[in-house]
Every structure is written in structure tokens, then in C-alpha cells.
Amino acid sequence: MAEDTPTFFGVPQALSKEDLLGADVVIIGAPYVAGWGDQYFGVDKKEWLHSCKRVRQQSIRYRSGYIQDFDLDVFETMKVVDYGDADIPPEASYAGTVSNILEAQAAVERKVKDALEAGAVPIVIGQNSPCGSYAIAKPLSESVDGPVGMVSLDTHWDANTADRFSMDPRIAGSGNWKDSVYKNLANFHPRHLVEIGERGMLEHPDIVRRYLRDGAEFISGWRLRTELGIEGTVKLLPKAFDGTDAVYAHFDLDVMGGAGPAPGDILGELAEPIGMTDYEVIRIAHESGKLGCNALSFICIPPGSPVMYRVVVYCIMYFIAGLAMRKS
């Protein structure tokens, strides 16, 4: 770890695959931003790239792993280790060549695979696809024989048929990683997808309707507000778990848009109305843990806001609390 970067909550640092033995949860950083140049959607890439460090820094402001909401200290039940950041070449975030992207993706896959082989749940603090999405879904898919479900929070479906930055079919990029999952990973199917948070006029109708025809459960921002509420939304999460051997929870935090504790414009052009609140996102993380989720990752963590980094800390800790409740 860098001199100014603590481990998450000060947990032990895992330096090798052998250090993961006996761990319940493995924290992994994936500092990667897509595309070419110095900005991503109008925000300096340096701000995006700091997310892994900032989440860890914010985590150590808390006194312990004791969550008073549940009268539960997660570290009394769960062994958590921090496996550091994947060995992603820094230039991959500024020069989006196909070789750079694939090298970055492979670096994350290796760490996620190590965690899964140790019998642990990997939690990846990322920033862009494929390093914060496909690089988790692929090794999870390869680790089981049966179907894999997904709980996905996002403002965008990320289901276009090509990566807009590279236009290369090998790249599961920020706009097409979900399409790549369902094309390339045979044990993922939309019938086991619970998609939450998209809203408004951001998608072509054929993309959304195709997933609906294939059986996905879609909870738009509007449906969450007007029909289900958070309690009704939580009751639909088991669709991703029923009849599956593993479940991947993907949290793209642009889903919070302009809602929650920080101004929407810190996301640059990615902010949208009718965003989810911090409580709703944290609650879904917790309930996913209680249901036995096998991997969790974050992308598009709003940059430059301490309270938004704390939202990620809460998501991780309440998710681990859910795992602890299920374990005990």
C-alpha cells in the first residue's frame, strides 16, 4: 500500500495469495478510468483515480467495525483482509489502447480469482469498466458450474453492443460491459438479473425491451418511487438468487445522480434527476449480503466528495454485516 493509503478499516494486508486463506471478505482496489486524455465526462481523471485511496482513507475515521444499527461488530464474525490494488498500468487510464485495457482487466481478474479460490467474497473498489465490472463477473462465472445472478444498480444499462472508446469486440467497456457479460459468459442470463435505478431518456427502447423480454426484473427510478419504495424493491432481490449458484452485485454510483448527500454536479455530465438516495443504495448492499451475495464491486464513485466516499464505506460494511448475519 502507498504511504498515504491505509488498509480498509485497518484490516490486515494480504501480500500474497497465501495470505487470503481463511478470509471471508477480500478488499481489492481497481484504479482505472476509461478512454483517452485527462478527463472522464468532464471531470479530471486524477479525481476519479483517487477513489480506492479515498475510500480507504475515509474508512479509518470510524472507531471500529461495530455497527450500532445492528448491535454487531462485523470483525468479530468476519475475517476481512485488504489485498491492495490490482497491478493496473497507470497509462491504461490515459491511453485507452486495446492492449492497455486488456492488461488492466487481467490484473483485476487475477486478484478476484485469488479471492474466490480462497473461498472469500471479493469486494472491488473500482471506477470504470471493464476493471470494475466484467473483471469481476468473468472469474465469478468461471468459479461455478450453474447459473449466476446479478443485482445491478446504475443510471445506464451499459448494454450497447460495442465499446464506444475502442470499438473493439474484445473490450467490455463502460457502455457495453453488460452486453459482453450476457454474450460471453454462458451461465449469466437476464432472467436472473435485477436491474435497479435507470430512468429517463438515456436508452434506446430496443435495448431495454430486449432485457425485459428475456426476463429481467427492471426497477426504474420512477417505479421505485411511485410503486415499490425501498421495501418493495428489496422483496424483488431474491430473483437474482433463486436457482443460481452465485450472485454478483454491481453498484455504479452514478445511480445516485443528484440525490443523496452530495451535489449531483460532482459527477460532471453523468448526473441525472430521480437518483437513488444513500440509504436506498446502502440498504440494497445490506440485503444483498444477507441473501448470500458472492461478489460486490463499485464503479463511478462520485469524485472529490468525502461523504460520497463514506457512502461506499457504509455499503461495504453493511454488506459485510449482511454476510455476517447469514453466517451466524
Side-chain angles (χ1 to χ4, degrees):
M1 306 290 281
E3 189 174 299
D4 61 345
T5 307
T7 62
F8 183 79
F9 260 85
V11 301
Q13 182 176 359
L15 298 176
S16 68
K17 182 177 179 179
E18 289 67 33
D19 295 332
L20 305 181
L21 296 177
D24 297 296
V25 173
V26 175
I27 307 295
I28 300 166
Y32 167 78
V33 184
W36 294 77
D38 296 328
Q39 290 193 338
Y40 183 73
F41 282 93
V43 179
D44 193 299
K45 284 186 175 179
K46 290 179 180 177
E47 294 294 326
W48 293 107
L49 286 168
H50 283 323
S51 63
C52 306
K53 175 192 295 186
R54 299 296 185 227
V55 169
R56 289 179 171 116
Q57 288 173 334
Q58 288 298 324
S59 75
I60 62 167
R61 74 188 294 273
Y62 297 103
R63 295 170 183 257
S64 70
Y66 175 69
I67 302 177
Q68 54 194 310
D69 306 79
F70 310 129
D71 190 22
L72 170 69
D73 189 326
V74 300
F75 299 130
E76 290 180 354
T77 305
M78 307 293 287
K79 181 180 178 182
V80 181
V81 299
D82 192 323
Y83 203 14
D85 290 348
D87 189 19
I88 296 173
E91 61 270 19
S93 294
Y94 297 94
T97 65
V98 169
S99 60
N100 278 345
I101 298 168
L102 292 177
E103 183 178 355
Q105 176 184 317
V108 179
E109 284 186 29
R110 285 193 293 271
K111 292 226 173 201
V112 172
K113 184 178 179 182
D114 287 348
L116 292 170
E117 288 181 349
V121 174
I123 297 179
V124 178
I125 306 167
Q127 206 47 297
N128 269 164
S129 298
C131 295
S133 55
Y134 192 80
I136 296 88
K138 182 172 179 282
L140 181 61
S141 168
E142 294 167 348
S143 73
V144 296
D145 295 325
V148 182
M150 188 190 310
V151 175
S152 171
L153 276 63
D154 207 334
T155 290
H156 314 85
W157 277 81
D158 295 346
N160 297 317
T161 56
D163 171 48
R164 73 184 187 91
F165 291 114
S166 68
M167 298 306 294
D168 190 292
R170 293 170 291 175
I171 302 302
S174 55
N176 73 309
W177 74 267
K178 193 175 280 107
D179 181 72
S180 296
V181 163
Y182 290 111
K183 278 182 179 175
N184 302 336
L185 308 179
N187 52 356
F188 273 88
H189 192 282
R191 73 173 69 94
H192 301 298
L193 169 65
V194 179
E195 189 71 35
I196 307 170
E198 289 89 347
R199 65 267 184 201
M201 296 69 65
L202 291 166
E203 301 292 344
H204 293 292
D206 57 317
I207 290 178
V208 179
R209 290 169 181 167
R210 171 162 53 91
Y211 278 86
L212 296 179
R213 284 196 304 270
D214 287 343
E217 184 70 61
F218 176 37
I219 304 165
S220 71
W222 188 266
R223 185 184 179 198
L224 193 158
R225 290 282 179 276
T226 62
E227 176 189 340
L228 297 173
I230 188 60
E231 299 303 329
T233 297
V234 164
K235 289 178 181 177
L236 293 176
L237 294 180
K239 180 169 183 175
F241 294 81
D242 293 343
T244 57
D245 284 359
V247 173
Y248 166 45
H250 169 78
F251 282 35
D252 185 328
L253 289 188
D254 68 15
V255 77
M256 296 180 70
D265 58 7
I266 61 174
L267 278 165
E269 299 169 20
L270 290 169
E272 292 289 334
I274 325 181
M276 293 178 68
T277 66
D278 52 352
Y279 167 71
E280 291 165 344
V281 171
I282 295 164
R283 176 72 184 282
I284 291 172
H286 176 62
E287 299 293 341
S288 296
K290 286 175 66 178
L291 287 166
C293 190
N294 305 88
L296 169 66
S297 69
F298 300 88
I299 63 171
C300 206
I301 299 169
S305 169
V307 73
M308 292 303 296
Y309 297 129
R310 293 172 198 168
V311 169
V312 179
V313 173
Y314 270 61
C315 282
I316 292 173
M317 291 299 286
Y318 282 57
F319 174 80
I320 299 174
L323 294 175
M325 293 172 180
R326 182 178 181 84
K327 181 179 180 180
S328 61

